[in-house]
Structure formats: C-alpha cells, structure tokens
Amino acid sequence: MEETNREAVATAVQRVAGMLQRSDQLDKVEQYRRREARKKASVEARLKAAIQSQLDGVRTGLTQLHNALVDVKDIQSSLADVSKDWRQSINTIENLKDVKDAVVQHSQLASAVENLKNIFSVPEIVNETQLLIEQAELLQAHRKLMDLECSRDDLMYEQYRMDSKNTSDMNLIRIYFEDVQALSDELAKQLWMVLQRSMVTVRRDPTMLVSVVRIIEREEKIDRRMLDRKKQTGFIPPGRPKQWKDKMFKVLEGTVSTRIEGTQSVTREVDKMWLVRLLEITRKYVLDDLIVVKNLMVQCFPPHYNTFRRFFCLYHNAVSARVKELTSEDLEANEIVSLLTWVLNTYKSTEMMGHPELCAECDVNELEPLLPQDVVDELLSKYVQTFTSNITGWLRKALETDKKDWQKDTEPEADQDGYYQTTLPAIVFQMFEQNLQVAAQIDESFKEQVLRLCLKQMNSFLIRYKEEAVAYKEEHLRDRQLPQCYVQYMIAIINNCQTFKESINSLKRKYSQSSEPTMSDAAIEKTLNEVAKEGCQFLLDEVFLDLEHHLNELLTRKWLTGSHAVDTICVTVEDYFNDFNKIKKPFNQEMTSEAHRRVVMEYIKAVMQKRITFKNADERREGADRMIKEADQFKFLFRKLAGGEDTDRLCDAIAAIAEVFKLTDPTLLYLEVTTLVSKYPDIREEHILALLAVRGDASREMRQMIIETLSQNKMSYTGVTQPIFKDITVPTISMTSVTSMATAKLLK
C-alpha cells in the first residue's frame, strides 16, 4: 500500500512539474487546482457507481441461488412420492395381464371377422385379378391386389402382436396367401413392360402410362406406411418395401440405354459410312424422344418427378456410355473425325440437345462432356498419327504418278495463262484442303495443328521433289533424246514451285488465325526456291549444251573469216525461250537475265582463252567490228526476250573489249585499258594480259608498264554493279605447252 502511495505521489509530482515549467504558469495554479479537483471528483463518482453495480449483481445472484435450492428440495420430494406410488402399482399391473391378453385376442378376432369375407374369397379374387392383369385393366387389378394384401397383412400383424415367436401360424397365413405375391410379380411385369414401351405408349394410349404411374405412387405410399409401422412395432409384411418407384426409374434408364444401343444397324464391313449413319440415327432418336417427353410424357408423371430433366440426363448418360464404347473400337482416321465432330459440335448444337424446343427446359451448357478430355486427346493423337502415315503415302503416290507423266511424249497441260503445269500441286492441296476442312469441324486449335502438320509434311515432300528433279535431269543427260518433252516438263516443275507457294499462302489465309511466319514457312520457301532455281539452271545447261560447238568457234580463225556461230547462238537461244516464255514470274525473268549473263560470259571467256592472236591492224579492226556487231545482236536478242528492259550493260563489255582491239595507236593503249577498267572494276591483271595477248602488238615492256601503272592506281570494286569478269578465269599455259608452241613456230 505504501509503495502504491509513493508511486501516486511521484506521478503527481511529475505531472505538477510538467504544468509549472514556466514562470507565467504560476498565475494559473488555482485554475489547475480546480481542474484537478473536478477530475478527482469525477473519478471517485465513477468508482462508487462501479462498486455499487457489482454489489447489486452479487445480491441478485445470491437471491437466485436461494430460490434454486428451494426448487431442488421440492423436486426431490415429488420424486420420492412418485417412487412410492410406482412400487405400490406393480402388483396391480401384474393382475391386469389377463385383461391385456383378452384385449389382444379381441383385436385379432375383430380383424379376422372384418377380413372374413375376403379370407374366404381369396381364391376367387386371385382369379379375377389374374384376368384383369391379362386384360390390361391394371388399375382395377391393382385395387383387388391391394385388398388381398391388406387382408394378409392385417392377419399377419395381429398374429405377430399376439405371439411373434409362433412361426407355424405365420407360415400358415403366408401359404394361404402365396398366390398374392405371384399376382404382385405378374402385375409388376406388366408395369415394366408398359414403361419399356413408354415412348410408343405415350403416343398411342397415354392413359395406360398414367395408370402405371398411379399404381406405383400407391405402392410408394403403402411402402412408407409399412416402414413407419415397422419403426413402431418391428413388423413388416412380406415383399415390403416393394420400391417400385426406384425400379421404375431403373427400367426407364434401361429402356433409354437399349434404345441408344440398338441404333447400330450395319458394320464397317457392310458400309464404310457406318459410323456416320449410326451417329445420325442416334441424333434423330434422341431429339425425337426428348421432344415426345417434353410434349407428352411430362403430363403423365407428377410434377415433382422433374420428368423432362430426368430423361434429359438419362439420354445424356446413355449417349455418353455408347460413345465411350465406340472410342474403344479400332477406329479409322475419318471415323475418329466423324465421332469427335459429332461429340464436340453436333451434340450440343441446335440440331440435337440445344434444339429450340428443348433449351427452354434444360441448359445444355450444364451437361458434362460426353468424353473426358484425356480420351479426346488420345483420339486426336491417334488421328494425327494415322493422318501423318496416310499423308506420307498419299504424297509419295502423287509424286510417283507425276514422275510417270514426265516420261510422256506429249507436252504437259497449260493453265489459262498458257504456263506449263502438272496436276501435282492440285492433287496435293486438294488432299490438304479436305483434311483441313475435316479438322476445322472439330475445333480451331486442332485445325491449326493439322495445318502445321501439313506444312511439315510439305517440306519433307519438297525435298523429295527436289531430289527427283535432279534425278530427272541426270537421266536426261545420259540420253538427251529422252524424254522427248524434257524441257517442257522441267518448265512445269519450275511452275509447280510457284503454284505451291500460292497454294500454301491460300491455305494459311483460310485456315490459320496467325499471320506470323513459322520455321516451316521459311524452310518451304527455301526449298521451293532451290527447286525452281535448279530447274532454271538445268534448262540453261540444256541450252548451252546445244550451243557448246558454236561457242567454241568464237574468237577463232574460222570466226574471223566469216563464221555464223553468233547467228546460230541467237536463233537457238530464241527458240528455247519460246518454250521458256511458259515459265511463270519471277523465274522467267531470272531465266532471261541468267541466259544473258552466261552468253556474254562465254563470249568473254572465248576472248580470255586466247584462241586467236591478231596479226595486224586490219585483223584487229575486222575482229573488233565483228565483236561490236555481235554485241548489238545480243542486245537486240535479249531486249526482245526481256520485253524491252535495259539489258545493254553486259553486252557493252564485249564492245568495250572490242575498242581495246580496235585501237590503232599502241601508245594510247594504256588510256583505252584504263577506260575499260573504270567501267568494269572487277577486271583483273590476268584479264588485261590476255586481252593484250590477243591484240598481238603489245610488247613485253608495254604490257609491264600498263600492269604496273594499273596496280599503282588500282580502283576498288564496290560491288554496286553486277560483276562480269569476277567469275571468268584465264587459262594458264604450262611450260611444256609454251615449248611446244615455240618449236612449232620455229619449224614453220
């Protein structure tokens, strides 16, 4: 207590010190004192109120405890009186046992008298009931059956009450009424038969179905009453509970399952379209039956049965089970697609479960999927494997067929624009189109997957296509007379590459949601370009094989004296290009450019090979004039082939070389060579030396001076213009050859 007082004093001192930190606060001491007094009075008042409230609560609790003690004593006294009275009444109860037995016996006799008429007429009622069942008078038959069962059950109940251990009398009653159970079973068979044919019955005679439902409802009420009595007495009549309502739903479920399972009328061996036919029949049966349920059958059942929803689920479960059975069979690729299309699209569409007449009653989106996703994925994987195998075979077969066409003696067909082509692209993309249309029926993601697979297979196919084109060329080179239409079919192969490109782009636009290029696209583009360019190269090789003899005449003595080699070259090239005009763009333009470049290069190679050495100025002038004339011939030819485009630069190289030969003053030769080098910076020293060698009048010192000067003022080749001399090599003459040539000259 003292410690508490000390803490209070210390706290007060600290608080007062906080209030009186400045001198001007001393004037407010009285004000502070009054404020603290008010706070103290307020705290004391609250404390007193709290203590008073606690005291009142304790007083109330003590009062309630006192009252409870008084009540407990009163109850104890009452219990003692009850115990005393119970002990006194035991003897009285034992004396009333005879009365109790008499009451039970009286009850049994009263029940027997009440059912006496029915008991004696049991055989007659059984016969009447049997006749009514055979006549399909089910309601009346059930009424009589109920009377028989009621009589039997009452007698057995009374016997059970009198002596539950007396089984002989109970068996006697059971034997006497044994035909009743047989009647019940017979009636049940009739009910189940009606329910099994409910779809037909509800159309022809809905009252029959209503009668069946009423009978089942009656039996349900009796079952509930018997079960309630069993809870009280422990007695339950034989055959109860019948649970006909549960059996009714099982029969309906079996009926639906049987109807779905019975839709298959043919097999694959009989009809290749068996699955499509089966699925269509199933769709029609399910839709027709559910419409009948909605419009007719619902009215035959109590509302609380939720009849339509129940049948909706029954048909869904039956279809799901049937579809799962179908997936376990060894389905072919087209059958897998038909099944998945039906499952994923048709089933919930307006053609079936989402039909306008049905969707008002049940939401089709609440239905579980017919097939689990893992089963769907497994089927799709199986389809992809089969499709991959099939498409590989189809492409191989299509290529083999196309190869056979390459050997024909007749030209390939031309399209509406006159370009040669074969049927290969149309066949390939018709296959792709058909399979993509099928895949699109399933869903978008699978369609994209099939498209990627098609493009992947297309790339592998084009690699084989390229190999076969090369083999075709090599076969032709072994005997250039065969095949007769080699050039035309090689043109068709080149054109097919362009058709493939266009068809692939068309497929992607039509069946792909993504416009981003893929690795397959780049690979296909690369392979197609390689096939087309190699095909163009093969055709040019064919041209230059025919030109080889005439090209070898260029810049020879025979050429100088009046050869018609260039005329023949131009005629031959133009003749070939009459066929090459049937190559599609851009490859026809590339062909013209490449042919132009190769002709000029072959001409310049003839110069660089130093087949001739001009002896004097007249020969040089004559040779130069001939070269300029032939350059003009080439210009005219390739302008014509290129459709008027500027193709002069390559031919101008021939004219520029001719100017070097035509120069009459050797002292100006350096200037002319410099001009040539400025026009064609890719020209090399060996080219200059070869030109000077052909010219024939350049001394060793002059050649050395020209080369050294050019080396000192070497021009850099920027690569802006197309190089001409870069790929032209100058043949080197060995010492043996030089010695032989010198010896020959001396001998002359």
Side-chain angles (χ1 to χ4, degrees):
M1 192 67 179
E2 292 178 357
E3 184 178 355
T4 304
N5 290 335
R6 283 197 300 271
E7 290 179 358
V9 170
T11 303
V13 170
Q14 186 178 2
R15 188 170 181 184
V16 170
M19 293 180 182
L20 302 176
Q21 291 181 353
R22 300 190 307 273
S23 59
D24 59 339
Q25 290 178 330
L26 294 174
D27 297 337
K28 299 180 181 180
V29 170
E30 186 62 27
Q31 181 180 352
Y32 291 155
R33 187 183 63 77
R34 287 196 299 272
R35 187 175 66 186
E36 293 301 320
R38 285 196 300 273
K39 288 183 179 180
K40 180 181 178 185
S42 175
V43 170
E44 289 177 349
R46 290 199 301 273
L47 184 58
K48 288 179 181 179
I51 292 173
Q52 184 63 38
S53 175
Q54 292 291 330
L55 290 174
D56 291 343
V58 171
R59 187 180 298 111
T60 302
L62 291 173
T63 302
Q64 291 176 348
L65 288 173
H66 178 72
N67 292 337
L69 180 60
V70 173
D71 292 341
V72 167
K73 289 180 179 179
D74 290 343
I75 293 171
Q76 186 178 10
S77 176
S78 299
L79 287 174
D81 293 341
V82 169
S83 179
K84 181 179 178 181
D85 292 342
W86 178 74
R87 289 190 181 90
Q88 291 176 354
S89 64
I90 290 177
N91 295 330
T92 305
I93 292 172
E94 291 177 354
N95 294 333
L96 292 175
K97 183 178 180 182
D98 295 338
V99 176
K100 178 182 178 182
D101 294 340
V103 169
V104 171
Q105 186 176 8
H106 180 272
S107 175
Q108 291 174 342
L109 293 172
S111 177
V113 170
E114 183 179 352
N115 293 288
L116 191 61
K117 181 179 179 181
N118 290 336
I119 291 172
F120 285 118
S121 59
V122 165
E124 181 183 351
I125 297 175
V126 167
N127 293 332
E128 292 177 358
T129 306
Q130 182 67 43
L131 183 61
L132 289 172
I133 292 174
E134 293 174 356
Q135 294 175 351
E137 298 290 341
L138 301 182
L139 278 177
Q140 296 181 34
H142 185 251
R143 173 59 62 187
K144 290 186 177 294
L145 177 63
M146 289 172 60
D147 292 341
L148 290 171
E149 289 180 339
C150 183
S151 299
R152 180 198 63 185
D153 296 345
D154 287 347
L155 289 173
M156 296 183 76
Y157 175 63
E158 294 301 332
Q159 178 62 36
Y160 178 83
R161 288 178 59 193
M162 182 176 69
D163 186 3
S164 60
K165 296 181 180 179
N166 187 355
T167 57
S168 60
D169 290 345
M170 193 72 77
N171 287 334
L172 182 63
I173 298 172
R174 185 178 287 109
I175 292 171
Y176 186 74
F177 284 94
E178 64 180 355
D179 292 338
V180 174
Q181 185 60 41
L183 282 177
S184 177
D185 295 341
E186 183 65 25
L187 179 61
K189 289 181 182 179
Q190 294 297 320
L191 299 182
W192 310 149
M193 191 179 298
V194 173
L195 289 172
Q196 288 169 355
R197 303 179 59 202
S198 56
M199 288 297 167
V200 178
T201 304
V202 78
R203 291 183 176 97
R204 295 180 180 177
D205 186 8
T207 57
M208 177 67 75
L209 187 58
V210 173
S211 299
V212 171
V213 176
R214 288 179 61 186
I215 291 170
I216 292 172
E217 281 292 293
R218 287 177 187 172
E219 289 295 336
E220 280 294 301
K221 291 179 181 178
I222 297 173
D223 278 349
R224 288 194 294 271
R225 190 168 67 249
M226 293 297 106
L227 289 173
D228 290 341
R229 187 166 69 178
K230 180 184 179 182
K231 292 178 183 178
Q232 297 174 0
T233 65
F235 173 76
I236 186 76
R240 293 288 178 184
K242 293 184 178 180
Q243 297 180 328
W244 278 6
K245 184 177 180 180
D246 292 340
K247 292 180 181 178
M248 173 184 70
F249 291 135
K250 289 182 180 178
V251 170
L252 290 175
E253 181 179 357
T255 301
V256 171
S257 298
T258 302
R259 186 158 176 79
I260 297 302
E261 292 172 358
T263 53
Q264 184 169 350
S265 57
V266 294
T267 60
R268 184 186 293 118
E269 290 73 17
V270 178
D271 185 358
K272 291 295 183 182
M273 300 297 291
W274 68 277
L275 184 60
V276 174
R277 189 184 304 277
L278 167 62
L279 295 174
E280 177 58 22
I281 293 174
T282 301
R283 183 199 68 79
K284 188 175 185 303
Y285 278 14
V286 171
L287 180 59
D288 292 347
D289 288 357
L290 288 176
I291 291 176
V292 169
V293 171
K294 175 180 178 292
N295 295 330
L296 299 176
M297 196 171 290
V298 168
Q299 303 170 15
C300 300
F301 290 83
H304 65 273
Y305 276 32
N306 291 325
T307 306
F308 180 78
R309 186 174 184 83
R310 187 180 295 274
F311 271 92
F312 197 76
C313 294
L314 286 178
Y315 273 95
H316 174 73
N317 294 336
V319 171
S320 179
R322 182 63 178 130
V323 168
K324 289 175 182 176
E325 289 179 5
L326 291 173
T327 59
S328 63
E329 298 186 15
D330 188 17
L331 297 178
E332 297 177 355
N334 60 320
E335 294 170 349
I336 291 174
V337 172
S338 298
L339 181 61
L340 289 179
T341 302
W342 192 87
V343 167
L344 300 177
N345 299 322
T346 305
Y347 182 70
K348 290 188 178 182
S349 69
T350 55
E351 297 179 3
M352 196 170 176
M353 304 303 271
H355 193 275
E357 287 198 44
L358 306 181
C359 61
E361 300 293 334
C362 285
D363 186 2
V364 71
N365 295 319
E366 295 179 357
L367 292 174
E368 293 291 328
L370 280 180
L371 288 176
Q373 188 58 42
D374 58 335
V375 177
V376 173
D377 293 340
E378 183 179 350
L379 286 175
L380 290 177
S381 176
K382 182 178 178 182
Y383 172 81
V384 168
Q385 292 175 1
T386 307
F387 171 71
T388 303
S389 176
N390 289 345
I391 202 168
T392 302
W394 294 335
L395 291 173
R396 185 181 295 110
K397 185 177 179 181
L399 183 54
E400 291 297 327
T401 303
D402 205 54
K403 283 170 55 182
K404 291 179 181 178
D405 291 343
W406 298 351
Q407 306 298 328
K408 289 182 178 179
D409 297 337
T410 56
E411 293 182 354
E413 296 181 357
D415 63 10
Q416 64 272 18
D417 297 322
Y419 297 119
Y420 286 139
Q421 63 178 8
T422 67
T423 58
L424 182 62
I427 293 173
V428 169
F429 283 94
Q430 184 179 8
M431 289 188 296
F432 287 170
E433 180 86 17
Q434 290 173 352
N435 284 279
L436 284 168
Q437 287 176 354
V438 169
Q441 296 174 7
I442 298 177
D443 58 36
E444 289 296 322
S445 61
F446 184 63
K447 179 186 69 176
E448 292 277 355
Q449 182 182 353
V450 172
L451 176 59
R452 290 194 298 271
L453 180 60
C454 288
L455 294 179
K456 182 179 179 181
Q457 292 296 317
M458 184 67 193
N459 189 39
S460 301
F461 166 74
L462 289 176
I463 293 173
R464 292 196 299 272
Y465 192 55
K466 176 182 176 182
E467 294 171 352
E468 294 297 341
V470 173
Y472 184 53
K473 184 261 299 189
E474 292 175 350
E475 178 188 357
H476 171 70
L477 291 180
R478 286 193 288 269
D479 183 357
R480 294 189 61 211
Q481 301 302 317
L482 297 174
Q484 293 184 9
C485 295
Y486 166 78
V487 171
Q488 290 79 5
Y489 277 100
M490 188 59 72
I491 292 172
I493 291 172
I494 297 169
N495 289 340
N496 286 347
C497 293
Q498 190 64 19
T499 305
F500 278 132
K501 285 184 182 181
E502 295 168 357
S503 299
I504 289 170
N505 292 333
S506 175
L507 281 183
K508 290 185 65 178
R509 285 194 302 270
K510 188 173 181 180
Y511 293 103
S512 178
Q513 302 294 326
S514 173
S515 58
E516 295 295 325
T518 63
M519 294 181 64
S520 293
D521 297 338
I524 289 173
E525 181 80 14
K526 180 175 179 293
T527 306
L528 284 173
N529 286 335
E530 288 176 355
V531 174
K533 288 180 179 179
E534 286 186 3
C536 292
Q537 195 67 38
F538 297 160
L539 291 176
L540 288 177
D541 290 344
E542 185 74 6
V543 174
F544 282 89
L545 283 173
D546 285 350
L547 296 180
E548 184 176 5
H549 174 70
H550 306 291
L551 290 172
N552 289 334
E553 286 186 10
L554 297 176
L555 274 292
T556 62
R557 285 290 166 186
K558 182 179 179 181
W559 166 80
L560 186 62
T561 57
S563 169
H564 298 287
V566 170
D567 296 333
T568 306
I569 290 171
C570 291
V571 171
T572 303
V573 169
E574 185 174 5
D575 181 58
Y576 269 104
F577 267 83
N578 287 331
D579 284 335
F580 295 168
N581 285 333
K582 295 184 179 180
I583 298 176
K584 290 183 177 180
K585 293 181 180 180
F587 301 116
N588 58 353
Q589 297 169 337
E590 294 178 6
M591 281 281 288
T592 304
S593 300
E594 182 64 15
H596 185 190
R597 189 184 71 85
R598 286 185 64 172
V599 166
V600 172
M601 286 184 64
E602 290 295 332
Y603 198 101
I604 296 175
K605 282 181 183 178
V607 176
M608 298 303 169
Q609 288 173 358
K610 296 173 282 190
R611 299 172 182 172
I612 186 173
T613 300
F614 297 122
K615 297 177 179 179
N616 51 51
D618 292 336
E619 282 191 358
R620 286 192 289 274
R621 184 178 64 256
E622 183 182 352
D625 291 341
R626 191 172 186 83
M627 290 176 67
I628 293 171
K629 176 185 176 184
E630 290 172 348
D632 290 338
Q633 284 183 264
F634 289 144
K635 284 183 184 180
F636 177 79
L637 171 65
F638 288 107
R639 279 178 184 172
K640 181 180 179 181
L641 296 181
E645 294 183 11
D646 183 15
T647 59
D648 292 351
R649 184 177 181 276
L650 289 171
C651 295
D652 286 343
I654 299 175
I657 293 173
E659 292 297 331
V660 174
F661 295 155
K662 192 175 183 180
L663 184 67
T664 57
D665 187 356
T667 59
L668 299 178
L669 191 57
Y670 168 72
L671 294 176
E672 195 65 42
V673 171
T674 303
T675 302
L676 176 64
V677 173
S678 66
K679 290 181 180 179
Y680 303 96
D682 62 317
I683 196 168
R684 298 189 298 274
E685 291 179 4
E686 57 265 31
H687 297 142
I688 302 298
L689 291 174
L691 294 179
L692 295 177
V694 173
R695 180 177 169 85
D697 64 342
S699 64
R700 179 189 297 271
E701 292 76 11
M702 183 178 291
R703 292 199 299 269
Q704 188 69 25
M705 183 271 293
I706 291 173
I707 295 300
E708 289 178 356
T709 307
L710 288 175
S711 299
Q712 293 172 2
N713 302 287
K714 191 171 184 178
M715 300 180 64
S716 62
Y717 172 60
T718 60
V720 176
T721 58
Q722 183 181 9
I724 299 174
F725 293 89
K726 182 180 178 181
D727 297 327
I728 298 176
T729 59
V730 177
T732 58
I733 303 176
S734 64
M735 292 301 297
T736 304
S737 301
V738 171
T739 304
S740 299
M741 292 172 63
T743 303
K745 288 183 178 180
L746 289 172
L747 291 174
K748 289 181 180 178

